[in-house]
Amino acid sequence: MNKQIAILGASGYTGAELVRLVHAHPNMDIAALAADRKAGQPMASVFPHLGHLDLPDLVKIEDIDYSNIDLVFCGLPHGVAHDFVRTVPDHVKIVDLSPDFRLEDGEAYEKWYGGPHKALDLQGAAVLGLPEVYRDKIKSARIAANTGCFVATSLLPLIPALKGGVIDSDPIIIDAKSGVSGAGRGLKEPMLYSEANEGFNTYGVAHHRHMGELDQELSKAVGKDVCATFTPHLVPMTRGMQATIYAKGDANAVRAHLASYYADEPFVHVLAEGEVPQTQHVKGSNICRIAVFADRQAGRVIILSVLDNLMKGASGQALQNANIMLGLPETAGLGIVPMFP
Amino acid sequence: MNKQIAILGASGYTGAELVRLVHAHPNMDIAALAADRKAGQPMASVFPHLGHLDLPDLVKIEDIDYSNIDLVFCGLPHGVAHDFVRTVPDHVKIVDLSPDFRLEDGEAYEKWYGGPHKALDLQGAAVLGLPEVYRDKIKSARIAANTGCFVATSLLPLIPALKGGVIDSDPIIIDAKSGVSGAGRGLKEPMLYSEANEGFNTYGVAHHRHMGELDQELSKAVGKDVCATFTPHLVPMTRGMQATIYAKGDANAVRAHLASYYADEPFVHVLAEGEVPQTQHVKGSNICRIAVFADRQAGRVIILSVLDNLMKGASGQALQNANIMLGLPETAGLGIVPMFP
Amino acid sequence: MNKQIAILGASGYTGAELVRLVHAHPNMDIAALAADRKAGQPMASVFPHLGHLDLPDLVKIEDIDYSNIDLVFCGLPHGVAHDFVRTVPDHVKIVDLSPDFRLEDGEAYEKWYGGPHKALDLQGAAVLGLPEVYRDKIKSARIAANTGCFVATSLLPLIPALKGGVIDSDPIIIDAKSGVSGAGRGLKEPMLYSEANEGFNTYGVAHHRHMGELDQELSKAVGKDVCATFTPHLVPMTRGMQATIYAKGDANAVRAHLASYYADEPFVHVLAEGEVPQTQHVKGSNICRIAVFADRQAGRVIILSVLDNLMKGASGQALQNANIMLGLPETAGLGIVPMFP
Amino acid sequence: MNKQIAILGASGYTGAELVRLVHAHPNMDIAALAADRKAGQPMASVFPHLGHLDLPDLVKIEDIDYSNIDLVFCGLPHGVAHDFVRTVPDHVKIVDLSPDFRLEDGEAYEKWYGGPHKALDLQGAAVLGLPEVYRDKIKSARIAANTGCFVATSLLPLIPALKGGVIDSDPIIIDAKSGVSGAGRGLKEPMLYSEANEGFNTYGVAHHRHMGELDQELSKAVGKDVCATFTPHLVPMTRGMQATIYAKGDANAVRAHLASYYADEPFVHVLAEGEVPQTQHVKGSNICRIAVFADRQAGRVIILSVLDNLMKGASGQALQNANIMLGLPETAGLGIVPMFP
């Protein structure tokens, strides 16, 4: 029998993407859709492109009947998920797309998100939802805390490279670029078409919230404090993300190590020497493509990592986590071929 | 001595465009900038691209000192300009970019704009600001009512063609396409980058507000009621506008008539047979390019008219009107060469 | 056992799209890929986004071994498919994406394509591949001649409307807009990013090749010669197509008739009154969305029809035809949910 | 009397941009336009957006009559300018937009451009055309060798920072991003709209030709060999360029030093602390905007530098050089206000 799924925050882009994925999933049914401000509306009015699917109408979050629900995707804003998780019955697994359960340390949470962690007692039930790193823990976790999109893009090459000792932990410079959909559906002037189109912008220089997750995971990988430089930029395209990473190491060794580490992973592809990953080649898919280049300066390496921010960077990763948590084949519903052009 | 200019609604796109134009104008100075919600701010914080210019800070509209002002560009929302114009001293000329004074008939105004015309007594002082048609009247007018961008694009070929009797007045079908900047800087979900990008949309089918102006002017051109079909579409680009117009007539006669009519006009260019106008070839300029094609059905004609919606469709036309009203050379400050690519 | 499929012209966009579709199809295998200029290369070097799939290398067209092939998708240029089809063994069904078998009349072919129809003897084995109109004939046809993308977009609303007598056959004005991918992967200056970006262009005014197909099918629908006006435009987006159609008729009657005609069709959706179709809402899917509006002039109607030019306008339609010809469920492999944003 | 100008390579984007600029220049006339493959054509057929200007037709390069020419802008491919310059009479000044005279060292030229420097005897007559650094030498130079666009973007902040000793010379990491127009008008598949749109790409990792110029100038600035890391990326927009630069230094000191260095420069603007430059805010202008941020790691600095690659990165810089060489006001014809949106 198919797993019954609820999607909260279904009126946002990651919500729509989850509907696209779960609808096509061979072992899942969409049992409930929730979005507070749009409660009462059919999905067709919120996302016309889903209008022809047979979907439940949007309800308020508190009106979800969890009795038959197996798993909930929680796409609520940060700070809200802490409280919300308490309202979910124990039999329901949770994939949280917010940052609320990503940081294990309450002080770190408060530093980066400007308010107290309100569910530290539940933090132990949560695992960072990066399947290629934490697969075993995710299997038995109650809560998978999906990583941020920048974080997934950066950690997929960096964690194995650091663990394998093929790059130094300092300096690590992550020059990151994101498509505009990463900013979500909120109404902000810089996200208007006429403002973002035909322009390249930098934001959150040296103080982007995703740094907390980066610090935590990079530090865990080497067993000491790591503090990477991280600069996010906004690219005039809807989907796609790239991290250009500068570190010390030998390119051949890094490439070989990553290729070996990811040899059996279905969604992380390490390219052969000389091949260049492009965001347009992973669009709509759950694939992350990684390439390693020798810098012109001996002993320095340039790593490129690309993915679709709404997929492997958000909803695709979330579904991958859900598959693991529910004992389904990890690739179920995720074999989508990239759409190009 | 340079003419002193005030720009109201300077925090919007047409306002920014007017600053760009007036700043470079050899006979004008920017004496005041106003925008109610942003009053008190420097232009640099509202439009960083203008930050290096020596501009007055934004003030509230009621705080403008008109004593030295020669002309005001009024970029206020419809319904507001009616009242505002009464507050402007008599010695100040007005170019109104809102629709408030475009419709000569109070009932027509109410029909299209959903509220009463509050300044019918001043309507007589206003002339539609389409220089190629109403130049003589604009010279002595107190108020030039700038046309809408769709209207300029459509009327420039249609009025002379109708007056010259080279096309029939029914049917006239105007299939219009606009870049996204035409929607202004307001925060609306369909104008978000991720919503408008990579998509083509239709809006206001059969009931767009610009139809009131079209009706009025097309009817005046032939001396009887004309009711054109008009369908506006949204194109994923920032600037540019095209009207593809279908009518009955002989293409060679229409082309010859328009070419003759516009032979001495600096800003309206009628292309030779076979040449196709493209919006990217007028970007940033005050130029309208018009081409006439024979339809495959004898006796039918297809007219293409393109311009930059923020320039000849708005701020460029406004400056052209201002030049005429102030007795300056009509092309002053408007010789900008299109920017391509 | 799965049907064995060959794809010719696999180095073009419709070829890539067919690989994406057939790869995910539950009842088909990709047995051969051919592209003359790229013969010998792996698909990974021609289309990196397909590099992780287990695909056969590209071969020359004449090197395909047809012994196990059930169906070939033929994406060759016009004029070439005529000769090619003779080389295909009788047991192989053909879906031809070129225009070579769309026109039943040799003179019409010569008129629109500038050379003789070289396979008139085989024309009788071909059926126009518009499933919603010719489904029964396609079932038993040897050759399905996929329609052009503009033609699919236009005919889906027009054929039933004409057959049902709810619109007049004259005048019919089709103002069509296409994303840039419709131009294919050939190297032409107007298709460079810097040329097509941020611009709206018109091409083939009054003499586009797709008119031959339109004439033929519209005329068949009413049993007399029909000659529609047709103006194609290029929109700065990769995928998507819209036809804005102007005709005489009653909007409610047209909408009701189309809704009834398409009530059971999985891929053609007629929208409720007031809903507006947008190309971004069908991206990547095989869906055509149609809406009908009353013009402001009584007795005139505006029909909007949108689809993804590479999908329902090309490769999706081709797969739908293949499903029908091979006796598979018509929707197999085509349930792709549109990708938005 | 106006200076008489010839523009070679006028059929490319930098050529069109030079026409736009020189046409509007108060002290220059366009006396000749040359482009070998398009010789004999009017500019209107090569660049329709310039069609309304009164311009000379394109001629072959060898057909230019230099008798009245004061200065030639040479936009020929690398390797060609070496020979060409010998054909230009001594009284004619040259602004070379190719890389042929940028590298002072013949071996360096051969290393980066794959062929011998064929005019080393003339190299001494050439000065790197970076006005903010080499203004005095440019005044009396016969040849100004315009820098590459990436080089201008990088050197404008780096040279004064290195000379001032406020950053270390190692490591310097330049993560650079360019709009597509930087690739020129040549027909290459990756530059097709459907390939470059909606994607982010990296190219020339660790071996881009501009590195030769960077090495030379950075080394000269500190008096020892400097080897910066440099990674260029392609952004889906037509114009705009950003360098995100990572180095060691104190942000406040760097910002203060650059602000002081550029205090009187009309085209290089150093932003106040916290302000972020965006490429869309310099579009169409000759302005470079620079901002300096403290990295989260003490003692490290992030410098952002943005400009319009066709203007300050190419044709605008070229005109600035020409003004200097001809004794005209350096800002003449370059006061263009950025166009936004």
Side-chain angles (χ1 to χ4, degrees):
Chain A
M1 190 191 145
N2 275 3
K3 300 293 182 183
Q4 301 303 302
I5 305 296
I7 300 171
L8 312 194
S11 62
Y13 294 148
T14 55
E17 198 70 347
L18 281 166
V19 170
R20 178 172 84 101
L21 295 175
V22 177
H23 176 82
H25 196 292
N27 315 114
M28 290 183 179
D29 295 333
I30 297 175
L33 296 172
D36 272 358
R37 276 176 302 180
K38 310 270 179 152
Q41 295 187 31
M43 275 300 269
S45 72
V46 175
F47 281 119
H49 72 290
L50 302 173
H52 61 294
L53 305 181
D54 188 21
L55 296 171
D57 285 352
L58 291 163
V59 299
K60 285 186 177 296
I61 289 165
E62 61 264 34
D63 291 344
I64 293 179
D65 173 4
Y66 286 103
S67 51
N68 293 313
I69 301 292
D70 294 293
L71 183 141
V72 58
F73 291 104
C74 172
L76 303 177
H78 74 82
V80 177
H82 283 155
D83 293 332
F84 162 72
V85 164
R86 298 193 193 282
T87 72
V88 180
D90 285 350
H91 74 276
V92 181
K93 302 247 180 183
I94 298 166
V95 177
D96 184 15
L97 285 87
S98 90
D100 273 12
F101 290 94
R102 293 175 192 161
L103 297 182
E104 302 165 359
D105 181 66
E107 286 180 33
Y109 183 87
E110 191 155 352
K111 172 184 171 192
W112 290 106
Y113 292 99
H117 191 307
K118 293 177 284 182
L120 274 174
D121 55 315
L122 295 174
Q123 186 65 47
V127 175
L128 193 71
L130 196 63
E132 288 77 8
V133 176
Y134 294 111
R135 180 174 288 121
D136 285 342
K137 291 186 180 170
I138 295 167
K139 274 181 194 164
S140 54
R142 168 93 198 289
I143 304 172
N146 231 41
T147 72
C149 48
F150 281 125
V151 178
T153 315
S154 303
L155 292 185
L156 284 171
L158 282 175
I159 286 183
L162 285 172
K163 282 188 174 168
V166 291
I167 62 166
D168 288 1
S169 62
D170 182 61
I172 293 175
I173 293 171
I174 303 168
D175 192 278
K177 298 90 174 175
S178 174
V180 180
S181 62
R185 215 178 193 185
L187 298 178
K188 285 168 280 186
E189 194 176 84
M191 302 309 154
L192 287 176
Y193 184 89
S194 299
E195 305 276 327
N197 188 38
E198 289 295 290
F200 186 84
N201 191 4
T202 314
Y203 64 98
V205 188
H207 55 74
H208 191 282
R209 280 172 166 168
H210 281 183
M211 286 174 181
E213 300 171 51
L214 278 172
D215 286 357
Q216 170 181 290
E217 295 303 312
L218 297 179
S219 299
K220 282 166 69 176
V222 290
K224 62 175 181 184
D225 278 359
V226 174
C227 176
T229 294
F230 173 66
T231 313
H233 304 79
L234 198 66
V235 180
M237 61 187 184
T238 299
R239 287 174 184 243
M241 176 163 283
Q242 174 167 326
T244 308
I245 301 171
Y246 302 90
K248 288 185 178 165
D250 175 74
N252 289 329
V254 176
R255 192 185 305 108
H257 181 75
L258 293 180
S260 166
Y261 187 91
Y262 287 120
D264 297 326
E265 286 291 344
F267 300 122
V268 183
H269 302 163
V270 179
L271 304 189
E273 186 175 352
E275 285 188 280
V276 177
Q278 300 180 233
T279 66
Q280 56 269 59
H281 293 153
V282 296
K283 193 166 51 180
S285 83
N286 199 46
I287 294 170
C288 174
R289 304 187 97 201
I290 296 172
V292 182
F293 291 84
D295 189 16
R296 57 197 297 238
Q297 297 218 57
R300 297 188 190 168
V301 67
I302 302 170
I303 306 174
L304 310 180
S305 173
V306 312
L307 49 72
D308 180 328
N309 57 300
L310 291 180
M311 285 291 298
K312 186 63 175 166
S315 302
Q317 189 199 54
L319 185 61
Q320 194 178 347
N321 283 319
N323 282 338
I324 296 172
M325 295 167 92
L326 294 172
L328 300 171
E330 190 170 329
T331 58
L334 287 170
I336 299 168
V337 177
M339 192 173 86
F340 177 86
Chain B
M1 190 189 144
N2 274 2
K3 300 293 183 183
Q4 301 304 301
I5 305 294
I7 300 172
L8 311 194
S11 63
Y13 294 147
T14 54
E17 198 70 346
L18 281 166
V19 170
R20 178 172 82 102
L21 295 175
V22 176
H23 175 83
H25 196 291
N27 316 114
M28 290 184 179
D29 295 332
I30 298 176
L33 297 172
D36 273 357
R37 277 175 302 178
K38 312 267 179 155
Q41 296 187 31
M43 275 300 269
S45 71
V46 175
F47 281 119
H49 73 289
L50 303 174
H52 60 296
L53 305 181
D54 187 22
L55 296 171
D57 286 352
L58 291 163
V59 298
K60 285 188 176 297
I61 290 165
E62 61 263 34
D63 290 344
I64 294 179
D65 172 4
Y66 287 103
S67 50
N68 293 313
I69 302 291
D70 295 293
L71 182 140
V72 57
F73 291 104
C74 173
L76 302 176
H78 74 82
V80 177
H82 284 154
D83 292 332
F84 163 72
V85 164
R86 298 194 193 281
T87 72
V88 180
D90 284 351
H91 74 276
V92 180
K93 302 245 179 183
I94 298 166
V95 176
D96 184 16
L97 284 88
S98 88
D100 273 12
F101 290 94
R102 293 175 192 160
L103 298 182
E104 302 164 1
D105 180 66
E107 286 180 33
Y109 183 88
E110 190 155 354
K111 172 184 172 192
W112 290 105
Y113 292 98
H117 192 306
K118 292 178 284 182
L120 274 175
D121 56 316
L122 296 174
Q123 186 65 47
V127 174
L128 193 71
L130 197 62
E132 288 77 8
V133 177
Y134 294 111
R135 180 173 288 124
D136 285 342
K137 291 186 179 171
I138 294 167
K139 275 179 194 166
S140 55
R142 165 95 197 288
I143 304 172
N146 230 42
T147 71
C149 48
F150 281 125
V151 177
T153 316
S154 304
L155 293 185
L156 284 171
L158 283 174
I159 286 184
L162 285 171
K163 281 188 174 169
V166 290
I167 62 166
D168 287 3
S169 64
D170 183 61
I172 292 175
I173 293 171
I174 303 168
D175 192 278
K177 299 90 174 175
S178 175
V180 179
S181 63
R185 215 178 191 184
L187 297 178
K188 285 169 277 185
E189 195 175 83
M191 300 310 155
L192 287 175
Y193 184 90
S194 299
E195 306 276 326
N197 187 38
E198 289 294 291
F200 186 85
N201 191 3
T202 314
Y203 63 98
V205 189
H207 55 75
H208 191 283
R209 279 172 167 169
H210 283 182
M211 286 173 180
E213 300 170 51
L214 279 171
D215 286 358
Q216 170 183 291
E217 295 302 312
L218 298 179
S219 299
K220 282 166 70 177
V222 290
K224 63 175 180 183
D225 279 357
V226 174
C227 177
T229 294
F230 173 66
T231 313
H233 304 78
L234 197 67
V235 180
M237 61 187 183
T238 299
R239 286 172 184 245
M241 176 164 282
Q242 175 167 325
T244 308
I245 301 171
Y246 302 90
K248 288 186 180 164
D250 176 74
N252 289 329
V254 175
R255 191 185 306 110
H257 181 75
L258 293 179
S260 166
Y261 187 90
Y262 287 119
D264 297 325
E265 287 290 346
F267 299 122
V268 183
H269 303 163
V270 179
L271 303 188
E273 185 176 352
E275 284 188 280
V276 177
Q278 300 180 235
T279 66
Q280 56 267 61
H281 293 153
V282 296
K283 192 165 52 179
S285 82
N286 199 46
I287 294 169
C288 173
R289 304 187 98 201
I290 296 171
V292 181
F293 291 84
D295 189 16
R296 56 197 298 238
Q297 298 217 58
R300 298 186 190 171
V301 68
I302 302 170
I303 306 173
L304 311 180
S305 174
V306 313
L307 49 73
D308 180 328
N309 57 299
L310 292 181
M311 284 291 299
K312 185 65 175 164
S315 302
Q317 188 198 53
L319 184 61
Q320 194 178 348
N321 284 318
N323 282 339
I324 296 171
M325 295 167 91
L326 294 172
L328 300 171
E330 189 169 330
T331 59
L334 287 170
I336 299 169
V337 177
M339 192 173 86
F340 176 86
Chain C
M1 189 189 146
N2 274 3
K3 301 294 183 182
Q4 300 304 302
I5 305 295
I7 300 172
L8 312 193
S11 62
Y13 294 147
T14 54
E17 198 71 346
L18 280 165
V19 171
R20 178 172 83 101
L21 294 175
V22 177
H23 175 83
H25 196 290
N27 315 114
M28 292 183 178
D29 294 332
I30 297 175
L33 296 173
D36 272 0
R37 277 176 301 180
K38 310 268 179 153
Q41 296 187 30
M43 275 299 268
S45 71
V46 175
F47 282 118
H49 73 291
L50 303 174
H52 62 294
L53 305 180
D54 188 22
L55 296 171
D57 284 352
L58 290 163
V59 298
K60 283 187 177 295
I61 289 165
E62 60 265 33
D63 291 345
I64 292 180
D65 173 4
Y66 287 102
S67 50
N68 292 313
I69 301 290
D70 295 292
L71 182 140
V72 58
F73 291 104
C74 173
L76 303 176
H78 73 84
V80 178
H82 284 153
D83 293 332
F84 162 72
V85 163
R86 297 194 194 282
T87 73
V88 181
D90 284 350
H91 74 276
V92 181
K93 302 249 179 180
I94 298 165
V95 177
D96 184 16
L97 284 87
S98 89
D100 272 13
F101 291 94
R102 293 175 192 162
L103 297 182
E104 302 164 0
D105 180 65
E107 287 181 31
Y109 183 89
E110 192 155 353
K111 172 185 172 192
W112 290 104
Y113 293 98
H117 191 306
K118 294 177 283 182
L120 273 175
D121 55 316
L122 295 174
Q123 186 65 47
V127 174
L128 193 72
L130 196 62
E132 288 77 7
V133 175
Y134 293 112
R135 180 173 287 124
D136 285 342
K137 291 185 179 170
I138 295 167
K139 276 180 193 166
S140 55
R142 169 92 196 290
I143 304 171
N146 230 42
T147 72
C149 48
F150 281 125
V151 178
T153 315
S154 303
L155 292 185
L156 285 171
L158 282 174
I159 287 183
L162 286 171
K163 281 188 174 168
V166 290
I167 62 167
D168 287 2
S169 63
D170 183 59
I172 292 175
I173 293 171
I174 303 169
D175 192 278
K177 298 92 175 176
S178 175
V180 179
S181 63
R185 215 178 192 184
L187 297 178
K188 285 168 280 185
E189 193 177 86
M191 302 308 155
L192 288 175
Y193 183 89
S194 299
E195 305 277 328
N197 187 39
E198 289 294 292
F200 187 85
N201 192 4
T202 314
Y203 63 99
V205 189
H207 55 72
H208 191 282
R209 278 171 168 169
H210 282 181
M211 285 175 182
E213 299 170 52
L214 278 172
D215 286 358
Q216 171 181 289
E217 295 303 313
L218 297 179
S219 299
K220 282 167 69 176
V222 291
K224 63 176 180 183
D225 279 358
V226 174
C227 177
T229 294
F230 173 67
T231 313
H233 304 79
L234 198 66
V235 180
M237 61 186 184
T238 299
R239 287 173 183 242
M241 176 163 282
Q242 174 167 325
T244 308
I245 302 171
Y246 301 89
K248 288 184 180 168
D250 175 75
N252 290 328
V254 176
R255 190 184 309 109
H257 181 74
L258 293 180
S260 165
Y261 187 91
Y262 286 121
D264 297 325
E265 286 291 344
F267 299 122
V268 183
H269 302 165
V270 179
L271 303 189
E273 185 175 352
E275 285 189 279
V276 177
Q278 300 180 234
T279 66
Q280 57 267 61
H281 293 154
V282 297
K283 192 166 52 179
S285 82
N286 199 46
I287 294 169
C288 174
R289 303 187 98 203
I290 296 172
V292 182
F293 290 83
D295 188 15
R296 58 198 296 240
Q297 298 217 59
R300 298 187 190 169
V301 67
I302 302 170
I303 305 174
L304 310 180
S305 174
V306 312
L307 49 72
D308 181 328
N309 57 301
L310 291 180
M311 284 290 300
K312 185 65 177 166
S315 302
Q317 189 199 54
L319 184 61
Q320 193 178 349
N321 284 318
N323 282 338
I324 296 171
M325 295 167 91
L326 295 171
L328 299 171
E330 191 170 329
T331 58
L334 287 170
I336 298 169
V337 177
M339 194 173 85
F340 177 85
Chain D
M1 191 190 143
N2 275 2
K3 301 293 182 181
Q4 301 302 301
I5 306 295
I7 300 171
L8 311 193
S11 62
Y13 294 147
T14 53
E17 198 71 347
L18 281 166
V19 171
R20 179 173 82 102
L21 294 175
V22 177
H23 175 83
H25 196 292
N27 314 113
M28 292 184 177
D29 294 332
I30 298 175
L33 296 172
D36 272 359
R37 276 176 303 180
K38 311 268 178 151
Q41 296 187 29
M43 275 300 269
S45 72
V46 175
F47 282 118
H49 73 290
L50 302 173
H52 61 294
L53 305 181
D54 187 23
L55 297 171
D57 285 352
L58 290 163
V59 299
K60 285 186 178 296
I61 289 163
E62 61 264 33
D63 291 344
I64 293 180
D65 173 4
Y66 287 102
S67 50
N68 293 313
I69 301 292
D70 295 292
L71 183 140
V72 59
F73 291 104
C74 172
L76 303 176
H78 74 83
V80 177
H82 284 153
D83 293 333
F84 162 72
V85 164
R86 296 192 195 283
T87 71
V88 180
D90 285 349
H91 75 276
V92 181
K93 303 247 179 182
I94 298 165
V95 177
D96 184 15
L97 286 85
S98 90
D100 273 12
F101 290 94
R102 292 176 193 162
L103 298 182
E104 301 164 0
D105 179 67
E107 287 180 30
Y109 183 88
E110 191 154 355
K111 172 185 172 191
W112 290 106
Y113 294 98
H117 191 305
K118 294 177 283 181
L120 274 174
D121 56 315
L122 295 175
Q123 186 65 47
V127 174
L128 193 72
L130 197 61
E132 288 78 8
V133 176
Y134 294 111
R135 180 173 288 123
D136 285 342
K137 292 185 179 171
I138 295 167
K139 276 180 192 165
S140 55
R142 168 93 196 290
I143 304 172
N146 231 41
T147 72
C149 48
F150 281 126
V151 177
T153 316
S154 304
L155 293 185
L156 285 171
L158 283 174
I159 286 184
L162 285 171
K163 282 187 174 169
V166 290
I167 62 167
D168 287 2
S169 63
D170 182 59
I172 292 175
I173 293 171
I174 304 168
D175 193 278
K177 299 90 176 176
S178 174
V180 180
S181 63
R185 215 178 192 184
L187 297 178
K188 286 168 278 184
E189 194 175 84
M191 301 309 154
L192 288 175
Y193 184 90
S194 299
E195 306 276 328
N197 187 38
E198 289 295 291
F200 186 86
N201 191 4
T202 314
Y203 65 98
V205 189
H207 56 72
H208 191 281
R209 279 170 168 171
H210 282 182
M211 285 175 183
E213 299 170 52
L214 278 172
D215 287 358
Q216 170 181 290
E217 295 302 313
L218 296 179
S219 300
K220 282 166 68 176
V222 290
K224 62 176 182 183
D225 278 359
V226 175
C227 177
T229 294
F230 174 65
T231 313
H233 304 80
L234 198 66
V235 179
M237 61 187 184
T238 299
R239 287 173 183 242
M241 175 163 285
Q242 175 167 325
T244 309
I245 302 172
Y246 302 90
K248 288 184 181 167
D250 175 75
N252 289 329
V254 176
R255 190 184 308 110
H257 181 74
L258 293 179
S260 166
Y261 187 91
Y262 287 120
D264 297 326
E265 287 290 345
F267 299 124
V268 183
H269 302 164
V270 179
L271 304 189
E273 186 176 351
E275 285 188 280
V276 177
Q278 300 180 234
T279 67
Q280 56 269 59
H281 293 153
V282 296
K283 193 165 52 179
S285 83
N286 199 46
I287 294 170
C288 174
R289 303 186 99 202
I290 296 173
V292 182
F293 291 84
D295 189 16
R296 57 197 296 241
Q297 299 218 57
R300 298 188 190 168
V301 67
I302 302 170
I303 306 173
L304 310 179
S305 173
V306 312
L307 49 71
D308 180 328
N309 57 299
L310 291 180
M311 285 290 299
K312 185 65 177 164
S315 303
Q317 189 198 54
L319 184 60
Q320 193 178 349
N321 283 318
N323 282 339
I324 297 171
M325 296 167 91
L326 294 172
L328 299 172
E330 190 170 329
T331 59
L334 287 171
I336 299 169
V337 178
M339 193 174 85
F340 176 86

